[in-house]
Amino acid sequence: MKYVLVTGGVVSGLGKGVTASSIGLLLKSCGLRVTSIKIDPYLNTDAGTMSPFEHGEVFVLDDGGEVDLDLGNYERFLDITLTRENNITTGKIYQSIIDKERKGDYLGKTVQVVPHITDEIQEWIERAAMIPVDGKEGPADVCVIELGGTIGDIESMPFIEALGQFSYRVGTGNFCLVHVSLVPVLSVVGEQKTKPTQHSVRGLRGLGLTPNILACRSTKALDDNVKEKLSQFCHVPAENIVTLYDVPNIWHIPLLLRDQKAHEAILKGLNLLGIAREPDLTEWTARTKNYDMLHDPVKIAMVGKYVGLTDSYLSVLKALLHASVHHRKKLVVEWVEASHLEDITAEEDPNTFKAAWNHLKGADGILVPGGFGDRGVQGKILAAKYARESNVPFLGICLGMQIAVIEYARSVLGLHNANSIEFDPKTSNPCVIFMPEGSKTHMGGTMRLGTRRTYLKVPDCKSAKLYGDATFVDERHRHRYEVNPDMISELEAAGMSFVGRDESGRRMEIVELPSHPFFIGVQFHPEFKSRPGKPSALFSGLIAASCGELDELLNKSSHVSKVVGSGISNGKATYNGHQNGSYFNALNGSLNGVCVNGNGVHH
């Protein structure tokens, strides 16, 4: 096994995750099998209990692991399926050590950071690196490891020590360190400054790690004299110094690395030059050019409570992007803070209220993503009501599905106090209830998590057609409340159709309004399995409906299910979370280049 370690210096947010993903993609394009590990030095066992404002979205894996959003980047870039073992945290390491100590594994010994913690880290890395993640048997050829945070952070010190020991143990030719650092350009003098990177590399070397490659973030390509200076002071060959300068969209990053021969430096450091082929990024290049040329807009209103931090909805945005690029449309996201649609905002801040409704009404489609807590719920309900009554394409995910059911019960059934017991535990008409097996005392890992099967009960519904006439689909879940099965018959009698259910038939997974052009709610999170080359069927449906191409898509999806040989069972297609027949290859999308309105920010 070969290892590539990606570290960061100077400041956080330089793009280590994108760099690590791009390196993995570049190596994969050279014919190598690649896996990834993300190290997060925080004490949380996983990302499950962290606020999206604190750490961005919580990404959910097939096995139910709640992990850092960078693992979503890895899955999208490399089209792989990672496990919870691929995300290492300080909490997991210490928990493992304490469990062993209580069982008596260290009987008679003093348990210390060195060697016990550092050994545990190294063993975990080796164990996780051996897990097949690409659907093939046996371990990958290369494992790309990203160390979160920046060099010098006190919480990452045990990992730095462990990785220093690890590089010595696996030996020269099996370990390559890529250090991502900042080369700022001071506006006053317009000169690229190398001192921050010099200090960062000096700190890294002082901790026992020597970089093989420098990936320098800057606004423009590094001047030759700057490269020479960095080479001299950082003891890195000039040809091993690459610039990650500002580009129109993130899809250019692997191309930057390839054009600067980063793959050759990595392959040389790993003794793989004679084994790997030249990188083949033909489809990637075509996709990047196509993405840059999109100009016909499709405007989607995103109604949520975390709109102040776009990373809170990273996978949803990526899935929208994958679908919009597939339909050759330029995605424009209108951010709508859900609470701004409510009457209380109309009283306190009429201008904000008016602007929010203008954004909503000016959109081609409306999406209400998942979330927790009651803030903004009334606004989300109003958004669903507007979409339903105005025949605007609507997709509700997780909580978005639940509020659509609540709105329907209130407006159509006349149950004005209908609610979720999450927001009103004493409601007399509980449309949404707490899951029977959920825990009310422990928060972490107690939801319905990971990939679960949904059976499509209505063959001619829009969802089944979008999924290629599949009889069932496997999608990822993350929720602790669900639609009340005791109210289903009443809701269906009033015109709602629960077209997707679990194997028991009592858990509602997909709801549609047959009388509406496109109104779908899903309890699962289809965004987690979306890939640029395989956009989520439901996101593709939303984009198609929003730009007037839904009928064409439904006919095409139905046709594809009949002609594609794979995934056919008993005359019907099955679906594992990706759309068949897509033009693009399975590589990652990006927020860069997506017009994002509603808060004055453009990404």
Side-chain angles (χ1 to χ4, degrees):
M1 176 68 70
K2 308 285 186 176
Y3 299 91
V4 177
L5 172 64
V6 178
T7 60
V10 186
V11 294
S12 60
L14 285 178
K16 292 192 306 298
V18 173
T19 304
S21 301
S22 298
I23 288 170
L25 172 61
L26 196 55
L27 294 175
K28 185 176 180 180
S29 74
C30 292
L32 300 170
R33 292 176 62 198
V34 182
T35 184
S36 296
I37 293 174
K38 173 68 187 296
I39 296 174
D40 286 302
Y42 49 68
L43 274 167
N44 304 64
T45 302
D46 57 37
T49 58
M50 298 167 72
S51 165
F53 284 123
E54 182 85 15
H55 205 67
E57 76 168 4
V58 177
F59 191 79
V60 179
L61 302 171
D62 265 8
D63 64 4
E66 296 174 285
V67 297
D68 183 83
L69 57 81
D70 279 319
L71 275 80
N73 283 330
Y74 304 156
E75 285 203 345
R76 286 184 286 265
F77 265 90
L78 300 170
D79 194 21
I80 55 179
T81 303
L82 298 171
T83 72
R84 65 179 75 226
E85 294 286 292
N86 294 85
N87 191 197
I88 305 174
T89 68
T90 299
K92 286 181 178 179
I93 295 295
Y94 274 78
Q95 189 173 59
S96 176
I97 291 292
I98 291 170
D99 288 345
K100 288 180 179 179
E101 188 274 332
R102 291 292 86 186
K103 287 190 295 184
D105 289 5
Y106 308 117
L107 206 57
K109 296 179 181 177
T110 302
V111 183
Q112 297 174 290
V113 173
V114 181
H116 301 101
I117 295 294
T118 52
D119 284 353
E120 182 73 18
I121 292 167
Q122 294 176 68
E123 290 168 10
W124 197 304
I125 289 172
E126 287 188 315
R127 184 171 69 247
M130 298 298 287
I131 300 172
V133 295
D134 56 2
K136 301 176 183 177
E137 293 185 1
D141 301 311
V142 181
C143 177
V144 179
I145 306 166
E146 179 193 346
L147 176 62
T150 54
I151 294 303
D153 294 346
I154 191 168
E155 60 264 30
S156 63
M157 289 302 180
F159 292 101
I160 294 286
E161 174 62 29
L163 289 163
Q165 295 178 20
F166 189 69
S167 66
Y168 178 74
R169 199 173 90 211
V170 298
T172 305
N174 293 315
F175 189 89
C176 179
L177 199 164
V178 180
H179 188 58
V180 183
S181 188
L182 179 67
V183 178
V185 178
L186 299 185
S187 57
V188 179
V189 293
E191 181 185 359
Q192 294 173 327
K193 293 295 185 181
T194 64
K195 196 64 73 177
T197 297
Q198 290 182 46
H199 284 303
S200 181
V201 172
R202 187 179 299 124
L204 187 63
R205 292 168 67 90
L207 294 169
L209 286 170
T210 301
N212 303 95
I213 298 168
L214 288 182
C216 299
R217 282 286 288 114
S218 191
T219 54
K220 59 181 182 179
L222 292 186
D223 298 332
D224 289 341
N225 65 312
V226 174
K227 276 192 177 184
E228 291 298 331
K229 191 173 181 181
L230 283 171
S231 175
Q232 181 179 1
F233 284 98
C234 298
H235 304 171
V236 176
E239 61 269 22
N240 285 15
I241 300 175
V242 298
T243 317
L244 302 177
Y245 52 84
D246 293 348
V247 288
N249 71 71
I250 247 166
W251 289 5
H252 287 272
I253 299 298
L255 303 179
L256 285 182
L257 291 172
R258 180 203 60 189
D259 293 344
Q260 297 175 71
K261 307 295 184 184
H263 59 287
E264 291 184 3
I266 295 170
L267 294 172
K268 183 178 179 181
L270 298 177
N271 287 338
L272 291 173
L273 271 178
I275 300 172
R277 64 173 188 237
E278 279 296 305
D280 181 8
L281 290 171
T282 306
E283 291 187 23
W284 177 272
T285 305
R287 183 180 308 108
T288 303
K289 290 180 179 177
N290 178 63
Y291 180 20
D292 286 342
M293 291 188 295
L294 295 176
H295 57 83
D296 190 13
V298 58
K299 192 178 293 184
I300 303 296
M302 179 91 80
V303 184
K305 62 179 285 190
Y306 308 117
V307 298
L309 180 67
T310 56
D311 272 1
S312 302
Y313 300 113
L314 187 63
S315 290
V316 176
L317 287 165
K318 298 277 190 180
L320 282 172
L321 183 69
H322 302 161
S324 61
V325 171
H326 177 62
H327 288 280
R328 306 298 178 97
K329 304 294 180 184
K330 184 177 181 64
L331 176 64
V332 180
V333 176
E334 295 279 9
W335 291 103
V336 180
E337 173 72 52
S339 60
H340 291 172
L341 299 171
E342 299 172 358
D343 291 341
I344 189 170
T345 302
E347 297 172 7
E348 297 176 352
D349 191 347
N351 290 334
T352 299
F353 175 80
K354 183 179 179 181
W357 274 101
N358 285 342
H359 285 311
L360 187 74
K361 291 181 178 180
D364 301 312
I366 296 172
L367 191 152
V368 179
F372 296 90
D374 60 358
R375 183 170 66 82
V377 164
Q378 184 58 32
K380 294 177 182 180
I381 289 174
L382 290 169
K385 181 180 175 69
Y386 169 77
R388 180 178 61 81
E389 293 179 343
S390 303
N391 285 336
V392 177
F394 174 88
L395 177 61
I397 297 172
C398 199
L399 177 61
M401 168 186 169
Q402 296 171 6
I403 62 99
V405 173
I406 293 169
E407 188 279 322
Y408 201 79
R410 290 180 181 180
S411 301
V412 179
L413 295 180
L415 304 175
H416 301 298
N417 64 342
N419 213 332
S420 166
I421 63 170
E422 179 181 6
F423 314 129
D424 181 9
K426 296 181 180 179
T427 178
S428 57
N429 288 295
C431 290
V432 180
I433 60 173
F434 193 80
M435 291 190 310
E437 70 271 37
S439 171
K440 294 186 177 182
T441 57
H442 287 70
M443 300 297 288
T446 58
M447 290 183 275
R448 191 165 190 249
L449 292 164
T451 294
R452 307 295 178 97
R453 182 153 291 180
T454 295
Y455 291 89
L456 291 149
K457 303 292 186 180
V458 183
D460 61 344
C461 68
K462 291 184 180 71
S463 299
K465 290 179 180 178
L466 287 170
Y467 280 118
D469 291 329
T471 55
F472 62 82
V473 297
D474 295 322
E475 296 277 19
R476 297 178 186 178
H477 293 66
R478 185 177 186 251
H479 66 101
R480 62 176 81 248
Y481 293 87
E482 61 190 19
V483 176
N484 186 353
D486 295 336
M487 293 189 68
I488 299 307
S489 57
E490 192 176 357
L491 287 162
E492 289 200 317
M496 265 198 156
S497 180
F498 291 87
V499 300
R501 308 188 184 196
D502 77 338
E503 65 279 356
S504 72
R506 286 185 59 79
R507 276 204 167 99
M508 303 303 118
E509 295 282 5
I510 308 176
V511 63
E512 289 187 13
L513 289 180
S515 59
H516 192 284
F518 188 90
F519 193 102
I520 295 177
V522 291
Q523 187 58 72
F524 48 78
H525 290 264
E527 69 269 22
F528 291 140
K529 284 192 172 183
S530 178
R531 304 285 186 269
K534 308 169 190 173
S536 163
L538 297 173
F539 279 86
S540 189
L542 175 66
I543 295 296
S546 300
C547 54
E549 299 175 1
L550 182 62
D551 289 341
E552 180 185 346
L553 176 63
L554 293 178
N555 293 333
K556 182 180 178 182
S557 296
S558 181
H559 173 70
V560 165
S561 74
K562 294 171 184 175
V563 299
V564 174
S566 61
I568 304 296
S569 174
N570 298 324
K572 292 289 185 179
T574 59
Y575 185 86
N576 69 349
H578 299 318
Q579 186 179 0
N580 291 326
S582 182
Y583 171 75
F584 296 106
N585 193 12
L587 298 166
N588 186 54
S590 129
L591 297 184
N592 294 18
V594 176
C595 295
V596 182
N597 299 329
N599 59 359
V601 178
H602 291 261
H603 294 271

